[in-house]
Coordinates of all heavy atoms in Angstrom, one line a residue:
M229 N 167.8 77.0 88.6 CA 167.7 76.8 90.0 C 168.9 75.9 90.5 O 169.2 74.9 89.9 CB 166.4 76.0 90.3 CG 166.2 75.6 91.7 SD 164.7 74.7 91.9 CE 164.9 73.9 93.4
A230 N 169.6 76.3 91.5 CA 170.7 75.6 92.1 C 170.1 74.5 93.0 O 169.4 74.8 93.9 CB 171.6 76.5 92.8
F231 N 170.5 73.3 92.8 CA 170.1 72.2 93.7 C 171.1 72.0 94.8 O 172.3 72.3 94.7 CB 170.0 70.9 92.9 CG 168.9 70.9 91.9 CD1 169.1 71.2 90.6 CD2 167.6 70.5 92.3 CE1 168.0 71.2 89.7 CE2 166.6 70.5 91.4 CZ 166.8 70.9 90.1
R232 N 170.6 71.7 96.0 CA 171.4 71.5 97.2 C 171.1 70.1 97.7 O 170.0 69.7 97.7 CB 171.1 72.5 98.2 CG 171.5 73.9 97.8 CD 171.1 75.0 98.8 NE 171.1 74.6 100.2 CZ 172.1 74.6 101.1 NH1 173.3 75.0 100.7 NH2 171.9 74.2 102.3
A233 N 172.1 69.4 98.3 CA 172.0 68.1 98.9 C 172.9 68.1 100.1 O 174.0 67.4 100.1 CB 172.2 67.0 97.9
P234 N 172.6 68.7 101.2 CA 173.5 68.8 102.4 C 173.6 67.4 103.0 O 172.6 66.6 103.0 CB 172.8 69.8 103.3 CG 171.4 69.9 102.9 CD 171.4 69.5 101.5
L235 N 174.8 67.1 103.6 CA 175.0 65.9 104.4 C 174.6 66.1 105.8 O 174.9 67.2 106.4 CB 176.5 65.5 104.4 CG 177.1 64.9 103.1 CD1 178.6 64.7 103.3 CD2 176.4 63.6 102.8
T236 N 173.9 65.2 106.4 CA 173.6 65.3 107.8 C 173.9 63.9 108.5 O 173.7 62.9 107.9 CB 172.1 65.6 108.0 OG1 171.3 64.7 107.3 CG2 171.8 67.0 107.6
N237 N 174.4 64.0 109.7 CA 174.7 62.8 110.5 C 173.5 62.5 111.4 O 172.9 63.5 112.0 CB 176.0 62.9 111.2 CG 177.2 63.0 110.3 OD1 177.3 62.3 109.3 ND2 178.1 63.9 110.6
H238 N 173.2 61.3 111.7 CA 172.1 60.9 112.6 C 172.5 59.9 113.6 O 173.3 59.0 113.3 CB 170.9 60.4 111.7 CG 170.4 61.4 110.8 ND1 169.3 62.3 111.1 CD2 170.8 61.8 109.6 CE1 169.1 63.1 110.1 NE2 170.0 62.8 109.1
H239 N 171.9 59.9 114.8 CA 172.0 58.9 115.8 C 171.2 57.7 115.5 O 170.3 57.8 114.6 CB 171.6 59.5 117.2 CG 172.4 60.6 117.6 ND1 171.8 61.8 118.0 CD2 173.8 60.9 117.6 CE1 172.8 62.7 118.3 NE2 174.0 62.1 118.1
A240 N 171.3 56.6 116.2 CA 170.6 55.4 115.9 C 169.1 55.6 116.1 O 168.3 54.9 115.4 CB 171.1 54.3 116.8
D241 N 168.7 56.5 117.0 CA 167.2 56.7 117.2 C 166.7 57.7 116.1 O 165.5 58.0 116.2 CB 167.0 57.3 118.6 CG 167.7 58.6 118.9 OD1 168.3 59.2 118.0 OD2 167.5 59.1 120.0
G242 N 167.4 58.1 115.2 CA 167.0 58.9 114.1 C 167.1 60.4 114.3 O 166.8 61.2 113.4
T243 N 167.6 60.8 115.5 CA 167.7 62.2 115.8 C 169.0 62.8 115.1 O 169.9 62.0 114.8 CB 167.9 62.5 117.3 OG1 169.0 61.8 117.8 CG2 166.6 62.1 118.0
L244 N 169.0 64.0 114.8 CA 170.1 64.7 114.1 C 171.3 64.8 115.1 O 171.1 65.2 116.2 CB 169.7 66.1 113.6 CG 170.6 66.9 112.8 CD1 170.8 66.1 111.5 CD2 170.1 68.2 112.5
C245 N 172.5 64.5 114.6 CA 173.7 64.6 115.3 C 174.3 66.0 115.0 O 174.5 66.3 113.8 CB 174.7 63.5 114.9 SG 176.2 63.5 115.9
P246 N 174.4 66.9 115.9 CA 174.9 68.2 115.7 C 176.2 68.2 114.9 O 177.1 67.3 115.1 CB 175.0 68.8 117.0 CG 174.1 68.0 117.9 CD 174.2 66.6 117.4
A247 N 176.4 69.2 114.1 CA 177.6 69.4 113.3 C 178.9 69.5 114.1 O 180.0 69.1 113.7 CB 177.5 70.5 112.4
D248 N 178.8 70.0 115.4 CA 180.0 70.1 116.2 C 180.4 68.8 116.9 O 181.4 68.8 117.5 CB 179.8 71.3 117.2 CG 178.7 71.0 118.2 OD1 177.8 70.3 117.9 OD2 178.8 71.5 119.4
H249 N 179.6 67.8 116.7 CA 180.0 66.5 117.3 C 180.9 65.8 116.3 O 180.6 65.6 115.1 CB 178.8 65.6 117.5 CG 177.9 66.0 118.7 ND1 176.9 65.2 119.2 CD2 178.0 67.1 119.5 CE1 176.4 65.8 120.2 NE2 177.0 67.0 120.4
R250 N 182.1 65.4 116.7 CA 183.1 64.8 115.9 C 183.0 63.3 116.2 O 182.7 62.8 117.2 CB 184.5 65.3 116.2 CG 184.6 66.8 115.9 CD 184.5 67.0 114.4 NE 184.5 68.5 114.1 CZ 183.8 69.0 113.2 NH1 183.0 68.3 112.5 NH2 183.8 70.3 113.0
H251 N 183.4 62.5 115.1 CA 183.4 61.0 115.2 C 184.7 60.5 114.6 O 185.3 61.1 113.8 CB 182.2 60.5 114.4 CG 180.9 61.1 114.7 ND1 180.4 62.2 114.0 CD2 180.0 60.8 115.7 CE1 179.3 62.5 114.5 NE2 179.0 61.7 115.5
T252 N 184.9 59.2 115.0 CA 186.0 58.5 114.3 C 185.5 58.1 112.9 O 184.3 58.2 112.6 CB 186.4 57.2 115.1 OG1 185.3 56.3 115.1 CG2 186.9 57.6 116.5
S253 N 186.3 57.5 112.1 CA 185.9 57.1 110.8 C 184.8 56.0 110.8 O 184.0 55.9 109.9 CB 187.0 56.6 109.9 OG 187.7 55.5 110.6
S254 N 184.7 55.3 111.9 CA 183.7 54.2 112.0 C 182.4 54.8 112.7 O 181.5 54.0 112.8 CB 184.3 53.1 112.9 OG 184.5 53.5 114.2
G255 N 182.4 56.0 113.1 CA 181.2 56.6 113.6 C 181.2 56.7 115.1 O 180.2 57.2 115.7
K256 N 182.2 56.2 115.8 CA 182.2 56.3 117.3 C 182.4 57.8 117.7 O 183.2 58.5 117.1 CB 183.4 55.5 117.8 CG 183.1 54.0 117.6 CD 184.3 53.2 118.2 CE 184.0 51.7 117.9 NZ 185.1 50.8 118.3
P257 N 181.7 58.1 118.8 CA 181.7 59.6 119.1 C 183.0 60.0 119.8 O 183.6 59.2 120.5 CB 180.5 59.6 120.1 CG 180.4 58.3 120.7 CD 180.8 57.3 119.6
L258 N 183.4 61.2 119.5 CA 184.5 61.9 120.2 C 184.0 63.0 121.1 O 184.8 63.8 121.6 CB 185.5 62.4 119.2 CG 186.2 61.4 118.3 CD1 187.0 62.0 117.2 CD2 187.0 60.4 119.1
H259 N 182.7 63.1 121.3 CA 182.1 64.1 122.1 C 181.3 63.4 123.2 O 180.6 62.3 123.0 CB 181.1 64.9 121.2 CG 180.5 66.1 121.8 ND1 179.4 66.1 122.7 CD2 180.9 67.4 121.8 CE1 179.2 67.3 123.1 NE2 180.1 68.1 122.5
D260 N 181.4 63.9 124.4 CA 180.8 63.2 125.6 C 179.3 63.0 125.5 O 178.8 62.0 126.0 CB 181.2 64.0 126.9 CG 182.7 63.9 127.2 OD1 183.3 63.0 126.7 OD2 183.1 64.8 127.9
D261 N 178.6 63.9 124.9 CA 177.1 63.9 124.9 C 176.6 63.2 123.7 O 175.4 63.3 123.4 CB 176.6 65.3 125.0 CG 176.9 66.0 126.3 OD1 177.2 65.3 127.3 OD2 177.0 67.2 126.3
C262 N 177.4 62.5 122.9 CA 176.9 62.0 121.6 C 176.9 60.4 121.7 O 177.8 59.8 122.3 CB 177.9 62.4 120.5 SG 177.4 61.9 118.9
S263 N 175.9 59.9 121.2 CA 175.8 58.4 121.1 C 176.5 57.8 119.9 O 176.5 56.6 119.8 CB 174.3 58.0 121.2 OG 173.6 58.5 120.0
G264 N 176.9 58.6 119.0 CA 177.6 58.1 117.8 C 176.8 58.3 116.6 O 175.6 58.4 116.6
R265 N 177.5 58.3 115.4 CA 176.9 58.4 114.1 C 176.4 57.0 113.7 O 177.3 56.1 113.5 CB 177.8 59.0 113.1 CG 177.2 59.2 111.7 CD 178.2 59.7 110.7 NE 179.3 58.7 110.4 CZ 180.6 59.0 110.6 NH1 181.0 60.1 110.9 NH2 181.4 58.0 110.3
A266 N 175.1 56.9 113.5 CA 174.6 55.6 113.0 C 174.6 55.6 111.5 O 174.8 54.5 110.9 CB 173.2 55.3 113.6
Y267 N 174.2 56.7 110.9 CA 174.2 56.8 109.5 C 174.3 58.3 109.0 O 174.1 59.2 109.8 CB 172.9 56.2 108.9 CG 171.6 56.9 109.3 CD1 171.1 57.9 108.6 CD2 170.9 56.5 110.5 CE1 169.9 58.5 109.0 CE2 169.8 57.1 110.9 CZ 169.2 58.1 110.1 OH 168.1 58.7 110.5
T268 N 174.6 58.5 107.8 CA 174.7 59.8 107.2 C 173.7 59.8 106.1 O 173.4 58.8 105.4 CB 176.1 60.0 106.6 OG1 177.1 60.0 107.7 CG2 176.2 61.4 105.9
Q269 N 173.1 61.0 105.9 CA 172.0 61.1 104.9 C 172.2 62.4 104.1 O 172.7 63.4 104.6 CB 170.6 61.2 105.6 CG 169.5 61.3 104.7 CD 168.2 61.2 105.5 OE1 168.1 61.5 106.7 NE2 167.1 60.8 104.8
A270 N 171.9 62.3 102.8 CA 171.9 63.4 101.9 C 170.5 63.5 101.3 O 170.0 62.5 100.7 CB 173.0 63.3 100.8
V271 N 169.9 64.6 101.3 CA 168.6 64.8 100.7 C 168.7 66.0 99.8 O 169.0 67.1 100.2 CB 167.5 65.1 101.7 CG1 166.1 65.3 101.1 CG2 167.4 63.9 102.7
C272 N 168.4 65.8 98.5 CA 168.5 66.9 97.5 C 167.2 67.7 97.4 O 166.1 67.1 97.7 CB 168.8 66.3 96.1 SG 169.0 67.5 94.8
S273 N 167.3 68.9 97.0 CA 166.1 69.7 96.9 C 165.2 69.3 95.8 O 164.0 69.7 95.8 CB 166.5 71.2 96.7 OG 167.4 71.3 95.6
C274 N 165.6 68.3 94.9 CA 164.8 67.8 93.9 C 164.0 66.6 94.4 O 163.1 66.1 93.8 CB 165.6 67.3 92.7 SG 166.5 65.8 92.9
G275 N 164.3 66.1 95.6 CA 163.6 64.9 96.2 C 164.4 63.7 96.3 O 164.1 62.8 97.1
W276 N 165.6 63.6 95.6 CA 166.5 62.5 95.7 C 167.0 62.4 97.1 O 167.3 63.4 97.7 CB 167.6 62.7 94.7 CG 168.7 61.6 94.8 CD1 168.8 60.5 94.1 CD2 169.9 61.7 95.6 NE1 169.9 59.8 94.4 CE2 170.6 60.6 95.3 CE3 170.4 62.7 96.5 CZ2 171.9 60.3 95.9 CZ3 171.6 62.4 97.1 CH2 172.3 61.2 96.8
E277 N 167.2 61.2 97.6 CA 167.8 61.0 98.9 C 168.6 59.7 99.0 O 168.3 58.8 98.3 CB 166.8 61.1 100.1 CG 165.8 60.0 100.1 CD 164.8 60.2 101.3 OE1 163.9 61.0 101.1 OE2 165.1 59.6 102.3
M278 N 169.6 59.7 99.9 CA 170.4 58.5 100.2 C 170.7 58.5 101.6 O 171.1 59.5 102.2 CB 171.7 58.5 99.3 CG 172.5 57.3 99.5 SD 173.9 57.3 98.4 CE 174.4 55.6 98.7
K279 N 170.7 57.3 102.2 CA 171.0 57.1 103.6 C 171.8 55.8 103.7 O 171.4 54.8 103.3 CB 169.7 57.0 104.4 CG 169.9 56.7 105.9 CD 168.7 56.9 106.7 CE 167.6 55.9 106.4 NZ 166.5 56.0 107.3
Q280 N 173.0 55.9 104.3 CA 173.9 54.8 104.5 C 174.8 55.0 105.7 O 174.9 56.1 106.2 CB 174.9 54.7 103.3 CG 174.3 54.4 102.0 CD 174.2 52.9 101.8 OE1 174.9 52.1 102.3 NE2 173.2 52.5 101.0
R281 N 175.4 53.9 106.2 CA 176.3 54.0 107.3 C 177.6 54.7 107.0 O 178.1 55.4 107.8 CB 176.6 52.6 107.8 CG 175.5 51.9 108.6 CD 175.9 50.6 109.2 NE 177.1 50.8 110.0 CZ 177.1 51.0 111.3 NH1 176.0 51.1 112.0 NH2 178.2 51.1 112.0
G282 N 178.1 54.5 105.8 CA 179.3 55.1 105.3 C 179.2 56.5 104.9 O 178.6 56.8 103.9
K283 N 179.8 57.4 105.6 CA 179.7 58.8 105.2 C 180.3 59.1 103.9 O 179.8 59.9 103.1 CB 180.4 59.7 106.3 CG 180.3 61.1 106.1 CD 180.9 61.9 107.3 CE 180.8 63.4 107.2 NZ 181.4 64.1 108.3
G284 N 181.5 58.5 103.6 CA 182.2 58.7 102.3 C 181.4 58.3 101.2 O 181.3 58.9 100.1
C285 N 180.7 57.1 101.3 CA 179.8 56.6 100.2 C 178.7 57.6 99.9 O 178.4 57.9 98.8 CB 179.3 55.2 100.6 SG 178.2 54.5 99.4
V286 N 178.0 58.1 101.0 CA 176.9 59.0 100.8 C 177.4 60.3 100.1 O 176.8 60.8 99.2 CB 176.2 59.4 102.1 CG1 175.2 60.4 101.9 CG2 175.6 58.1 102.7
N287 N 178.6 60.8 100.5 CA 179.1 62.0 100.0 C 179.5 61.8 98.5 O 179.2 62.7 97.7 CB 180.4 62.5 100.8 CG 180.8 63.9 100.4 OD1 179.9 64.7 100.1 ND2 182.1 64.1 100.5
E288 N 180.1 60.7 98.1 CA 180.4 60.4 96.8 C 179.2 60.4 95.9 O 179.1 61.0 94.8 CB 181.2 59.1 96.7 CG 181.8 58.9 95.3 CD 182.8 59.9 94.8 OE1 183.5 60.4 95.7 OE2 182.8 60.2 93.6
C289 N 178.1 59.7 96.3 CA 176.9 59.6 95.6 C 176.2 61.0 95.5 O 175.6 61.3 94.4 CB 175.9 58.6 96.2 SG 176.5 56.9 96.0
R290 N 176.3 61.7 96.5 CA 175.7 63.1 96.5 C 176.4 64.0 95.5 O 175.8 64.7 94.7 CB 175.9 63.7 97.9 CG 175.4 65.1 98.0 CD 175.8 65.7 99.4 NE 177.2 66.0 99.5 CZ 177.8 67.2 99.1 NH1 177.0 68.1 98.7 NH2 179.1 67.4 99.2
K291 N 177.7 63.9 95.4 CA 178.5 64.6 94.4 C 178.1 64.2 93.0 O 177.9 65.1 92.1 CB 180.0 64.5 94.6 CG 180.5 65.2 95.8 CD 182.0 64.9 96.0 CE 182.6 65.5 97.2 NZ 184.0 65.2 97.4
R292 N 178.0 62.9 92.8 CA 177.6 62.4 91.4 C 176.2 62.9 91.1 O 175.9 63.4 89.9 CB 177.6 60.9 91.4 CG 179.0 60.4 91.2 CD 178.9 58.9 90.8 NE 180.0 58.3 91.4 CZ 180.0 57.2 92.2 NH1 178.9 56.6 92.4 NH2 181.1 56.7 92.7
H293 N 175.3 62.9 92.0 CA 173.9 63.3 91.8 C 173.9 64.8 91.4 O 173.2 65.2 90.5 CB 173.0 63.1 93.0 CG 171.7 63.6 92.9 ND1 170.7 63.0 92.1 CD2 171.1 64.7 93.4 CE1 169.6 63.7 92.1 NE2 169.8 64.8 92.9
L294 N 174.6 65.6 92.2 CA 174.6 67.1 91.9 C 175.3 67.4 90.6 O 174.9 68.3 89.9 CB 175.3 67.8 93.0 CG 174.6 67.8 94.4 CD1 175.4 68.4 95.5 CD2 173.2 68.6 94.2
A295 N 176.2 66.6 90.2 CA 176.9 66.7 88.9 C 175.9 66.5 87.7 O 175.9 67.1 86.7 CB 178.1 65.8 88.7
E296 N 175.0 65.5 88.0 CA 174.0 65.2 86.9 C 173.1 66.4 86.7 O 172.6 66.7 85.6 CB 173.2 64.0 87.3 CG 173.9 62.7 87.2 CD 173.1 61.5 87.7 OE1 171.9 61.6 88.0 OE2 173.7 60.4 87.7
H297 N 172.7 67.1 87.8 CA 171.9 68.3 87.7 C 172.6 69.4 86.9 O 172.0 70.1 86.1 CB 171.6 68.9 89.1 CG 170.5 68.2 89.8 ND1 169.2 68.1 89.3 CD2 170.5 67.7 91.0 CE1 168.5 67.4 90.2 NE2 169.2 67.2 91.2
A298 N 173.9 69.5 87.1 CA 174.7 70.5 86.4 C 174.8 70.2 84.9 O 174.8 71.1 84.1 CB 176.1 70.5 87.0
Q299 N 174.7 68.9 84.5 CA 174.7 68.6 83.1 C 173.4 68.8 82.4 O 173.3 69.0 81.2 CB 175.1 67.1 82.9 CG 176.6 66.8 83.3 CD 176.9 65.3 83.3 OE1 176.0 64.5 82.9 NE2 178.1 65.0 83.7
G300 N 172.3 68.7 83.2 CA 171.0 68.9 82.6 C 170.5 67.6 82.0 O 171.3 66.6 81.7
P301 N 169.2 67.4 81.8 CA 168.7 66.2 81.2 C 169.2 66.0 79.8 O 169.3 66.9 79.0 CB 167.2 66.5 81.1 CG 166.9 67.6 82.1 CD 168.2 68.4 82.1
K302 N 169.5 64.7 79.5 CA 170.1 64.4 78.2 C 169.2 64.7 77.0 O 169.6 65.2 76.0 CB 170.4 62.9 78.1 CG 171.1 62.5 76.8 CD 171.5 61.0 76.8 CE 172.1 60.5 75.5 NZ 172.1 61.3 74.4
V303 N 167.9 64.6 77.2 CA 166.9 64.9 76.1 C 167.0 66.4 75.7 O 167.1 66.7 74.6 CB 165.5 64.5 76.6 CG1 164.5 65.0 75.5 CG2 165.4 63.1 76.8
L304 N 167.1 67.2 76.7 CA 167.2 68.7 76.4 C 168.5 69.0 75.8 O 168.6 69.8 74.9 CB 167.0 69.5 77.7 CG 165.6 69.5 78.3 CD1 165.5 70.3 79.6 CD2 164.6 70.1 77.3
R305 N 169.6 68.4 76.3 CA 170.9 68.6 75.7 C 170.9 68.2 74.2 O 171.4 69.0 73.4 CB 172.0 67.8 76.4 CG 172.4 68.4 77.7 CD 173.7 67.8 78.3 NE 173.9 66.4 78.1 CZ 173.5 65.5 79.0 NH1 172.9 65.9 80.1 NH2 173.7 64.2 78.8
D306 N 170.3 67.1 73.9 CA 170.3 66.7 72.5 C 169.4 67.6 71.6 O 169.7 67.9 70.5 CB 169.7 65.2 72.4 CG 170.7 64.2 73.0 OD1 171.9 64.6 73.1 OD2 170.3 63.1 73.2
L307 N 168.3 68.1 72.2 CA 167.5 69.0 71.5 C 168.1 70.4 71.2 O 167.9 71.0 70.2 CB 166.1 69.3 72.2 CG 165.1 68.1 72.2 CD1 164.0 68.5 73.1 CD2 164.6 67.9 70.8
L308 N 169.0 70.8 72.1 CA 169.6 72.1 72.0 C 171.0 72.1 71.3 O 171.6 73.1 71.2 CB 169.8 72.7 73.4 CG 168.5 73.0 74.2 CD1 168.8 73.4 75.6 CD2 167.7 74.0 73.5
R309 N 171.4 70.9 70.8 CA 172.6 70.8 70.1 C 172.6 71.7 68.8 O 171.6 71.6 68.0 CB 173.0 69.4 69.7 CG 173.5 68.6 70.9 CD 173.9 67.2 70.6 NE 174.3 67.1 69.2 CZ 174.4 65.9 68.6 NH1 174.1 64.8 69.2 NH2 174.8 65.8 67.4
L310 N 173.6 72.4 68.6 CA 173.6 73.3 67.4 C 173.9 72.5 66.1 O 173.5 72.9 65.0 CB 174.7 74.4 67.5 CG 174.4 75.4 68.6 CD1 175.6 76.3 68.8 CD2 173.1 76.1 68.4
D311 N 174.6 71.3 66.2 CA 174.9 70.6 65.0 C 173.9 69.5 64.7 O 174.2 68.6 63.9 CB 176.3 70.0 65.2 CG 176.4 69.0 66.4 OD1 175.5 69.0 67.2 OD2 177.4 68.3 66.5
A312 N 172.8 69.5 65.4 CA 171.7 68.5 65.2 C 171.1 68.7 63.8 O 171.0 69.8 63.3 CB 170.7 68.6 66.2
P313 N 170.7 67.6 63.1 CA 170.2 67.7 61.7 C 168.8 68.4 61.7 O 168.1 68.4 62.6 CB 170.1 66.3 61.3 CG 170.3 65.4 62.4 CD 170.9 66.2 63.5

């Protein structure tokens, strides 16, 4: 199963900020109808989630989390090793 953890931007009131709304790096809106990005959130299909003001931080943690899924659980990797005694 492929896991997904899309990034979403949200306004201060918790509503979703549409993908076509652009912001400065600090979250200030560049779109007339936008109140600005208050936080960015990533929610994985496994249930993991992260919410922070910094979009870059959330994206970096999201990438690390998805990489852990790609590696598989350590216990299973150790059990499936061909050179195990």
